[in-house]
Amino acid sequence: MIKTLRPRKWICPTCVYRQRRVQRSLANLAAPAPSEDIRLPLASRTAPGSSQDDQNLRQIFDSQSFWQEFSRPRPAKLSSRPAGLFTNKHLTHPEGFQEFATITLQRAKKIVAKVLGASTVGEYRAIVRDLDRLSDLLCRVIDLADFVRATHPDREIQATAAKAYGLMFEYMNVLNTTAGLNDQLKRAAADPEVWGSWSEEEKVVAQILIKDFSKSAIDLPPTERQKFVDLSNEISQLGSSFVDSMAPEKEHLVFESSRLNGMDPVLVKQLTKWGKVKLPTVGAPAGLALRTVHDPEVRREIYMANRSAAGSQILRLEEMLRRRAELAKLSGYGSFAEMALTDKMAKSPESVDKFLHALSKDNATRVQLELSELLMLKHEDSTNKNAPNQLNPWDRDYYISRLLSRSRSKNRTPDFLSAYFSLGTVMQGLSRLFTRLYGIRFVPRETSPGETWNDDVRRLDIVDESDGHIAVVYCDLFERAGKNPNPAHFTLRCSRLISASEIAEVAHETGSIAAAEDAVNDGMATTRNPHTGELYQLPTIALICDFFRNATHNRPTLLSFRDVQTLFHEMGHAVHSMLGRTSLQNVSGTRCATDFAELPSVLMEHFVSAPEVLGLFARHWETNQPLPYQIVKEKLALDRRFAGTETEHQILLARLDQAYHSDLPLSPDFNSTSTYHAMLSLPNASLQEPKGTTWQGFFGHLFGYGATYYSYLFDRAIAGKVWKEVFGEGRESLNVERGGRFREEVLRWGGGRGGWACVAGVLGDEKLVEGGGAAMEEVGRWGVRD
């Protein structure tokens, strides 16, 4: 199937969830004092020949005056025509998107005609690369337009990008129902001479395309195929509406102010009118109330309202789930989960269940210890009159808050830790870490007029010590009005080998080879492999965060430890895109199985906690003193204090996701609320969800991660194992050989190698190569080790 085969925008469940995470938000209120003054090692701070780039990297993020000088266009650039967004030669003006889409369509139609007309062995040999190029052409427009329509501040440019997106998406749907493309690909793959001539990467892409064509009902009769398209469109609309329309059944609760004793009195006063407190049932005030209000009956009322979605939202969810089940049945699958998992590492719902069961068993003891501690605290609470020997769901956050407040240091201000993490030093640290592990570094690059969508965007060129320029990253990291606050990684253009025939084709249009090499990638970044001389289009990436900018020019943006973890996580996705430089676009970078894609980013969260890594960059922004690691150690202990109960909650949600995407929605009496309570009130669940809640209406990941919500837990388990076995739990976190092993066994393949083969390779465990239920169960037994 010709489409953007893998998710283009990575807004991970953890990236969004982390911002609401109870224990981190609590622990971040104040940093603990060290019981002993352990200092981080003073590691070598720069790679040979990169000293100026290293200094500039910090300065462009930390010094506004330096950035203004660095980014000021040179006179020669001021006199030239705009470079276009991302240096794309078509995007120099709003109408450029239409021009870009039109030219791309013309090129795409030529490739379609070539594939459909193939008849010789030589022509069939080229089919995989032709289809990959076709996919790349569509993604060039769709990925850029999707990003621009969501991010660019200019409404006119947003509108033209949306039109280009719609035009290309419509054409993509036409191709997905063009049976001739599927027939030709199957003929090519069935010919032993053709199959034998393909590289391993070409064979992998051929298999992916054949599977995706099959999942798009290409083999069905025309009437049923049209029904498939209609169902797919309906699911897309229902899913988008489900995510965008989240609302509680009750928007506010009204209390006497005296009943909110324990809550911040300033906030209570702000919410009070005519002697009554009008408390929103969702958002920060409700969360704070659940953590601080002493009255358990008030907490219970808030909890119930906070976890009860509007009835219309539940109807949307149930309709989406029914349509997905119908789609799967139409395609010959027993359930949507069965359909969705065929190309994942799990392969089947049964294997997912084995993983979750084993993980739950590993986690059970930790959960009981954590809840026992909370129950003991509740029992000791002299003001508590509400079932002192029973822990209720609305008690959990309240007693966690009280327990952590006992452990929290009283002699450190809330921003003590952040003083060691200016944004510039963290970016410096990432570059230094990647230099040691992978031999790559970040080089600040001045942009041309019109290249970025905002003056705050920094461009970094990624340079490999062996291969030279390998990627471009645009960093949009500062908050501004109207900007989406969720951290995200976008792949705007993937790695791909540009063939000599493509260059010759464009040279015929431009009149010269030199001009063709620029035009063949629309003016965006390319490079020649120094070893082979082949021309590649470079991965082009956008990293989006929403970090607070200090109003004073003499003080840099300082990140909380949670912010640093977020940046490391997103850079984990980015490094996968940078180093997964395949010759075919369909398996480049993060275009891999959903339940494998989080591994590099989750692994990066381990690195940020290692003293060896923090020693590369964590220094006080004013005094240049190194960070006392004991502070980080104590903070991590607080953050992980109730990791077991959090993991249990995620396991229950993963099981709920599987139940919703089984064949249950096909039943006439399907009720998502009954299923929700059945899953969250299993005998082994530590806290039983009270009847009357409908939290599933807030579970937005059911749309984007349908039947694959287990993926993050799965990759956390694998990342913990890799961190222990490969990087020695931090002791080998700067070891170039270990970094090279992870790069060679995991990162460089993108999606061109099976996830199990990558995991088996990096761990040196051959019994994992074939995957299956036994391997999924084994990963569950590893547990989640943060």
Side-chain angles (χ1 to χ4, degrees):
M1 180 166 61
I2 307 302
K3 61 174 184 175
T4 46
L5 289 168
R6 302 290 178 261
R8 300 179 300 282
K9 178 176 69 172
W10 285 98
I11 300 180
C12 317
T14 184
C15 299
V16 178
Y17 181 70
R18 182 185 290 115
Q19 297 186 18
R20 303 190 299 271
R21 190 171 175 179
V22 173
Q23 48 266 62
R24 284 189 177 173
S25 61
L26 289 169
N28 200 46
L29 291 175
S35 56
E36 55 179 309
D37 197 24
I38 301 174
R39 297 283 171 176
L40 294 170
L42 297 179
S44 173
R45 304 190 67 190
T46 57
S50 64
S51 176
Q52 190 61 53
D53 291 331
D54 185 70
Q55 293 176 34
N56 289 349
L57 182 59
R58 176 176 179 175
Q59 291 288 78
I60 64 169
F61 289 102
D62 279 358
S63 170
Q64 188 63 21
S65 59
F66 182 91
W67 167 244
Q68 289 172 349
E69 180 62 30
F70 183 88
S71 60
R72 181 177 295 128
R74 296 175 183 174
K77 288 190 176 183
L78 284 171
S79 60
S80 61
R81 66 191 299 269
L85 273 172
F86 314 105
T87 70
N88 187 303
K89 66 176 184 177
H90 302 291
L91 306 183
T92 58
H93 54 284
E95 295 76 19
F97 265 107
Q98 188 64 39
E99 170 192 321
F100 184 26
T102 300
I103 290 173
T104 300
L105 276 175
Q106 291 171 353
R107 291 178 176 174
K109 288 175 180 178
K110 288 181 181 179
I111 295 174
V112 170
K114 179 185 176 186
V115 171
L116 293 177
S119 60
T120 67
V121 170
E123 289 168 338
Y124 279 124
R125 282 176 177 169
I127 274 183
V128 171
R129 290 195 175 273
D130 286 337
L131 290 177
D132 185 74
R133 185 186 174 197
L134 179 59
S135 179
D136 180 61
L137 285 171
L138 298 179
C139 291
R140 287 184 181 192
V141 179
I142 289 174
D143 290 354
L144 272 180
D146 191 31
F147 174 79
V148 170
R149 67 178 182 160
T151 307
H152 204 287
D154 189 307
R155 293 292 181 87
E156 184 181 6
I157 294 176
Q158 284 181 16
T160 57
K163 287 181 181 178
Y165 179 91
L167 180 66
M168 298 305 294
F169 207 85
E170 182 180 349
Y171 181 65
M172 185 179 74
N173 285 334
V174 171
L175 295 180
N176 289 340
T177 56
T178 303
L181 295 174
N182 180 51
D183 294 340
Q184 287 287 72
L185 177 58
K186 284 184 173 179
R187 287 190 190 101
D191 187 316
E193 185 178 354
V194 173
W195 182 263
S197 70
W198 285 344
S199 67
E200 286 304 310
E201 195 173 295
E202 287 173 314
K203 291 175 182 177
V204 168
V205 170
Q207 291 167 339
I208 289 172
L209 292 173
I210 289 171
K211 281 183 181 178
D212 282 333
F213 268 123
S214 176
K215 287 169 69 174
S216 286
I218 199 73
D219 295 319
L220 293 178
T223 303
E224 294 185 14
R225 196 186 313 154
Q226 184 57 50
K227 185 179 180 182
F228 182 96
V229 172
D230 293 341
L231 278 171
S232 298
N233 290 336
E234 191 175 354
I235 290 166
S236 178
Q237 292 167 6
L238 284 166
S240 297
S241 179
F242 175 69
V243 171
D244 295 338
S245 304
M246 289 183 189
E249 186 68 20
K250 294 180 181 179
E251 292 189 356
H252 295 88
L253 294 173
V254 178
F255 298 101
E256 298 286 346
S257 59
S258 60
R259 297 192 68 196
L260 295 179
N261 185 29
M263 191 172 174
D264 180 0
V266 176
L267 179 58
V268 171
K269 186 176 181 180
Q270 291 173 350
L271 297 172
T272 301
K273 189 174 183 180
W274 306 111
K276 301 285 188 180
V277 179
K278 192 176 182 181
L279 182 75
T281 57
V282 294
L288 181 63
L290 287 169
R291 295 194 300 271
T292 58
V293 170
H294 296 323
D295 189 333
E297 285 302 316
V298 172
R299 294 200 308 271
R300 185 194 66 80
E301 192 173 343
I302 295 170
Y303 180 91
M304 297 295 291
N306 179 257
R307 295 178 68 84
S308 297
S312 58
Q313 183 71 347
I314 303 304
L315 293 176
R316 287 188 198 96
L317 171 62
E318 291 177 350
E319 190 67 13
M320 181 186 76
L321 295 174
R322 272 191 288 268
R323 293 292 177 260
R324 278 181 166 171
E326 290 170 7
L327 186 78
K329 185 177 180 180
L330 180 66
S331 303
Y333 294 93
S335 67
F336 184 82
E338 183 183 318
M339 176 179 173
L341 294 172
T342 56
D343 59 352
K344 308 301 186 291
M345 289 178 71
K347 297 300 182 188
S348 71
E350 294 75 20
S351 292
V352 174
D353 186 64
K354 287 183 178 181
F355 162 69
L356 293 174
H357 179 77
L359 182 60
S360 181
K361 187 176 180 180
D362 173 85
N363 193 55
T365 301
R366 187 172 186 179
V367 173
Q368 291 306 314
L369 288 172
E370 292 171 3
L371 293 182
S372 295
E373 197 172 10
L374 294 179
L375 188 58
M376 184 180 299
L377 183 62
K378 181 179 180 180
H379 188 69
E380 295 170 357
D381 187 355
S382 60
T383 65
N384 175 61
K385 306 298 182 184
N386 180 258
N389 296 316
Q390 176 184 330
L391 196 68
N392 298 307
W394 49 87
D395 295 329
R396 178 182 177 273
D397 290 355
Y398 176 73
Y399 287 106
I400 283 177
S401 178
R402 294 191 64 177
L403 193 61
L404 292 182
S405 68
R406 291 181 174 183
S407 305
R408 198 176 299 127
S409 169
K410 304 300 182 183
N411 59 355
R412 296 289 183 183
T413 58
D415 64 347
F416 180 83
L417 197 58
S418 66
Y420 293 86
F421 296 121
S422 74
L423 177 55
T425 57
V426 176
M427 293 299 292
Q428 221 176 21
L430 282 161
S431 181
R432 292 168 179 174
L433 174 62
F434 289 164
T435 296
R436 284 154 181 76
L437 291 179
Y438 309 128
I440 63 174
R441 60 190 174 93
F442 301 168
V443 178
R445 165 88 176 268
E446 59 185 279
T447 56
S448 301
E451 184 177 347
T452 63
W453 57 98
N454 189 277
D455 291 341
D456 273 343
V457 178
R458 276 71 163 159
R459 170 175 169 164
L460 303 178
D461 283 357
I462 311 304
V463 177
D464 185 285
E465 59 191 17
S466 173
D467 294 340
H469 189 195
I470 62 168
V472 175
V473 179
Y474 291 97
C475 299
D476 185 359
L477 305 181
F478 297 106
E479 68 176 358
R480 60 176 176 272
K483 183 179 178 184
N484 189 318
N486 291 328
H489 156 272
F490 294 79
T491 299
L492 305 174
R493 185 150 298 190
C494 292
S495 169
R496 190 180 69 90
L497 171 66
I498 299 174
S499 68
S501 61
E502 290 177 57
I503 299 171
E505 179 185 318
V506 178
H508 182 71
E509 301 170 5
T510 62
S512 76
I513 292 293
E517 289 193 4
D518 180 63
V520 75
N521 198 36
D522 308 310
M524 293 178 68
T526 60
T527 191
R528 284 201 174 272
N529 185 305
H531 312 293
T532 66
E534 295 172 316
L535 186 69
Y536 277 78
Q537 60 190 44
L538 293 186
T540 301
I541 301 153
L543 278 185
I544 309 295
C545 289
D546 195 50
F547 298 140
F548 172 75
R549 184 202 295 279
N550 283 301
T552 56
H553 285 294
N554 63 345
R555 184 182 176 95
T557 289
L558 302 177
L559 305 184
S560 67
F561 193 70
R562 180 174 55 188
D563 289 335
V564 180
Q565 290 171 314
T566 294
L567 192 52
F568 267 63
H569 180 100
E570 296 304 330
M571 199 59 79
H573 288 308
V575 79
H576 201 181
S577 293
M578 295 172 199
L579 298 180
R581 295 171 61 234
T582 54
S583 64
L584 295 175
Q585 178 260 7
N586 272 290
V587 290
S588 171
T590 56
R591 291 176 183 259
C592 55
T594 306
D595 52 5
F596 184 66
E598 291 289 336
L599 174 58
S601 56
V602 175
L603 181 64
M604 283 296 293
E605 295 186 42
H606 288 279
F607 279 95
V608 76
S609 302
E612 296 84 357
V613 174
L614 290 170
L616 294 173
F617 67 94
R619 307 182 75 85
H620 197 283
W621 73 277
E622 286 183 300
T623 67
N624 205 39
Q625 289 298 304
L627 171 66
Y629 184 70
Q630 186 66 23
I631 299 174
V632 177
K633 185 177 179 180
E634 292 184 9
K635 172 162 178 51
L636 290 171
L638 282 175
D639 287 354
R640 297 166 180 171
R641 186 78 175 267
F642 293 94
T645 52
E646 181 189 325
T647 297
E648 181 195 45
H649 181 63
Q650 294 302 308
I651 291 171
L652 291 173
L653 292 184
R655 283 178 164 161
L656 178 65
D657 173 47
Q658 290 296 304
Y660 278 163
H661 291 100
S662 67
D663 61 357
L664 282 177
L666 292 175
S667 173
D669 58 353
F670 171 66
N671 183 294
S672 68
T673 300
S674 297
T675 304
Y676 167 69
H677 283 280
M679 288 294 105
L680 267 72
S681 299
L682 291 170
N684 59 344
S686 57
L687 293 177
Q688 302 291 306
E689 182 74 355
K691 296 295 183 184
T693 59
T694 53
W695 182 84
Q696 74 271 23
F698 297 120
F699 194 4
H701 286 107
L702 286 171
F703 177 48
Y705 286 81
T708 60
Y709 191 76
Y710 71 91
S711 298
Y712 182 60
L713 285 171
F714 181 64
D715 284 341
R716 282 176 69 191
I718 296 174
K721 186 73 167 179
V722 171
W723 181 243
K724 179 181 179 181
E725 301 295 334
V726 179
F727 294 101
E729 296 181 312
R731 296 183 301 277
E732 304 295 338
S733 56
L734 303 181
N735 185 310
V736 66
E737 292 181 0
R738 304 299 176 91
R741 182 165 147 195
F742 189 70
R743 176 176 181 168
E744 289 303 306
E745 296 290 351
V746 177
L747 295 175
R748 81 175 182 92
W749 294 94
R753 184 192 199 189
W756 287 113
C758 291
V759 173
V762 75
L763 293 176
D765 188 349
E766 288 302 312
K767 70 177 183 291
L768 296 172
V769 171
E770 298 302 321
M776 291 289 292
E777 191 172 16
E778 174 68 12
V779 173
R781 283 195 289 266
W782 294 345
V784 169
R785 304 288 184 263
D786 288 330

